Amino acid sequence: MKFATPVFVTALLAASAVPAAAQQAAAQQKSEQTAKQDPDAMVCKTLEVTGSRFPKKQCHTREDWARMESDAKTLMRDVPGRVMPCDGECVPLPPGDPSGHGH
């Protein structure tokens, strides 16, 4: 019976460690969810650079990333129907002039 006591103590310690580990995992998951919702949290992304084999790391807040994505979508939505005149130097058309004449 000398071995029964250490085995019992080991089992008891292991059983008490499981709830602590579960609580720690739950707390970590909750903090990650909170961080995902925080618009001021910094997020770093690795972006591919055209003409280079080396990616570039950029860090911005979640709010900035969302704004940049929205701006890019708006630009891509507006560009296909627009004609840009180029007389030596290309300039974007004013927002209300879809004719391409700039007058």
Side-chain angles (χ1 to χ4, degrees):
M1 286 290 194
K2 291 182 182 179
F3 294 109
T5 303
V7 171
F8 176 72
V9 171
T10 304
L12 183 62
L13 289 173
S16 66
V18 171
Q23 288 176 350
Q24 185 179 12
Q28 184 179 3
Q29 185 179 16
K30 185 176 180 180
S31 69
E32 288 174 2
Q33 288 174 347
T34 302
K36 288 180 182 178
Q37 296 170 355
D38 183 13
D40 295 326
M42 290 297 288
V43 176
C44 295
K45 296 182 180 183
T46 303
L47 305 173
E48 293 182 18
V49 179
T50 302
S52 174
R53 286 194 237 164
F54 301 104
K56 183 175 181 180
K57 183 177 178 181
Q58 288 190 2
C59 299
H60 299 282
T61 63
R62 289 186 191 286
E63 185 176 10
D64 288 343
W65 283 115
R67 181 183 41 77
M68 288 187 287
E69 183 178 348
S70 175
D71 290 350
K73 285 181 180 179
T74 300
L75 179 67
M76 293 308 293
R77 184 185 64 231
D78 292 346
V79 167
R82 301 185 84 184
V83 176
M84 294 177 54
C86 288
D87 297 329
E89 185 177 326
C90 295
V91 293
L93 294 174
D97 186 11
S99 68
H101 300 299
H103 299 263

